Amino acid sequence: MKALIIGCGIGGPATAMALQRVGIDAEIFEAYDVPADNVGSFLNVASNGLDALRTLDAHQEVLKAGIPTPRMVMWSGTGKRLGEVANGLALDDGTVSHTIQRADLYRIVRDEAVRRGIPISYSRRLVSYEENEKSVTARFEDGTEASGDILIAADGVHSRTRSLLDPAAPAPRYSGLYNFGGIVKDTGRTGEPGVYNMIFGRKAFFGYTVSDSGETWWFANLPRELGDVPPDWKATLVEAFAGDDNVSAELVGRGSVELALPIHDLPAVPTWHRGRVLLTGDAAHATSPSSGQGASMAIEDAIVLAACLRDEHGHAAAFESYERRRRARVERVVAWSKKISDSKAAGPVARVFRDLMLPVFLRRSAGDDSLAWMYRHHVEL
């Protein structure tokens, strides 16, 4: 069997490596003409995602490149400590969730796929596909095409494959938030490494953690009408945080703002597969960054899909089994993350209620037992 994988982000190489482990050849096709070595800010690889990477023997370099961040402390914009929650649950060997530059995570999984002999073609933007009883053929914008037994979409929240598979599929859903990130060196501040400080500010949300080297890694979520782009994002962010009793405005002001991206997720996608074509990762179930699970869900998908293709008779049965095993879990993550994003975009009245009730919520709903469904989820080949 040969698989055509559309998209070379995090999920594409992970899927190719998982398929290789069960004897399925894979080739990755990426729309952009160069690798995404310098794209994005940083993200969370939750403990369950690291466990999935370990199943692929691809976790060690990720651990070396990341910052262990097992805890989150919540604050109000007035400086009140609202509570604490685990950022993932430690694995049996003590491994905890890590924060890593997206470019580093991408580079590590891509390079590992290449090292294992998996071909990657760039400037291959999918425009259509055609299938018959024996194969599927992908056609690309540059006039080239490729054929295989199955086609796997790993092309993200704005997936071209999804719209080809089902023209009636729901469009990405804007969260009401723009996302920003940055790293400030030599802040001269003391901070406990391994702790994410999450601040529900008066006008926007701010999070930061401190590395062992003293760098401060920060991100911000700013409520904004989609497409409402100011002349200077940095000045807009500084103004949004100026009234908060914390270091957010200062940190934003001291460094560069690395990205300004509208955050989208996906409502439930009715059709994950048809014929020889299957959606995975963000193409099927994009979640907002608030859950810290986007990359982890894509890596889990890769392993479950490979196991299904190995264990079931034929791709149709394998795709059905994959959806049965994954849909409820990933949609629960998307819903969980949406609740968090909605609280970040809360208006003045809702913010008061949130700051009053969040400590109660954390005590009742964010303990180790209640989070086990998300983080205690082992997948293997």
Side-chain angles (χ1 to χ4, degrees), residues 353-365:
F353 179 77
R354 177 199 62 205
D355 291 353
L356 288 172
M357 296 306 298
L358 187 59
V360 177
F361 171 79
L362 292 175
R363 286 195 297 270
R364 293 181 177 178
S365 305

Side-chain angles (χ1 to χ4, degrees), residues 169-252:
R173 176 174 57 191
Y174 178 51
S175 67
L177 299 167
Y178 273 76
N179 190 48
F180 306 83
I183 295 178
V184 181
K185 301 180 184 293
D186 303 320
T187 61
R189 294 190 173 276
T190 58
E192 184 180 355
V195 176
Y196 256 120
N197 292 282
M198 304 296 205
I199 303 165
F200 292 87
R202 293 180 177 89
K203 295 182 178 180
F205 182 88
F206 191 82
Y208 71 94
T209 190
V210 179
S211 70
D212 286 328
S213 65
E215 295 177 339
T216 298
W217 295 25
W218 66 264
F219 72 93
N221 299 149
L222 178 70
R224 197 85 180 181
E225 291 293 326
L226 184 61
D228 181 10
V229 178
D232 185 343
W233 277 119
K234 182 174 179 178
T236 299
L237 276 180
V238 170
E239 188 279 329
F241 292 121
D244 291 341
D245 187 14
N246 53 61
V247 298
S248 52
E250 178 186 343
L251 288 173
V252 173

Side-chain angles (χ1 to χ4, degrees), residues 231-315:
D232 185 343
W233 277 119
K234 182 174 179 178
T236 299
L237 276 180
V238 170
E239 188 279 329
F241 292 121
D244 291 341
D245 187 14
N246 53 61
V247 298
S248 52
E250 178 186 343
L251 288 173
V252 173
R254 290 187 58 180
S256 60
V257 176
E258 295 181 5
L259 78 164
L261 296 175
I263 297 173
H264 292 84
D265 69 359
L266 276 176
V269 174
T271 303
W272 278 18
H273 59 89
R274 182 177 291 130
R276 296 178 176 272
V277 180
L278 173 77
L279 307 178
T280 67
D282 282 356
H285 49 74
T287 178
S288 76
S290 295
S291 66
Q293 284 285 346
S296 297
M297 290 298 103
I299 300 163
E300 285 185 7
D301 279 359
I303 294 167
V304 173
L305 174 59
C308 291
L309 286 165
R310 177 196 62 197
D311 298 340
E312 300 290 344
H313 181 67
H315 69 273

Side-chain angles (χ1 to χ4, degrees), residues 17 32 45 67 69 77 113 131 133 147 157 171 186 205 221 230 236 264 279 290 297 312 340 352 367 374 376:
M17 288 188 284
Y32 291 99
V45 183
I67 302 172
T69 42
E131 57 182 318
E133 293 182 358
S147 295
V157 63
D186 303 320
F205 182 88
N221 299 149
T236 299
H264 292 84
L279 307 178
S290 295
M297 290 298 103
E312 300 290 344
I340 300 173
V352 173
M374 189 183 301
R376 297 288 191 203

Side-chain angles (χ1 to χ4, degrees), residues 118-138:
I118 295 167
I120 303 173
S121 298
Y122 297 94
S123 296
R124 297 294 188 272
R125 186 176 298 278
L126 182 71
V127 294
S128 65
Y129 66 81
E130 183 177 340
E131 57 182 318
N132 56 41
E133 293 182 358
K134 295 183 178 181
S135 66
V136 58
T137 298

Side-chain angles (χ1 to χ4, degrees), residues 83 106 295:
Y106 162 76

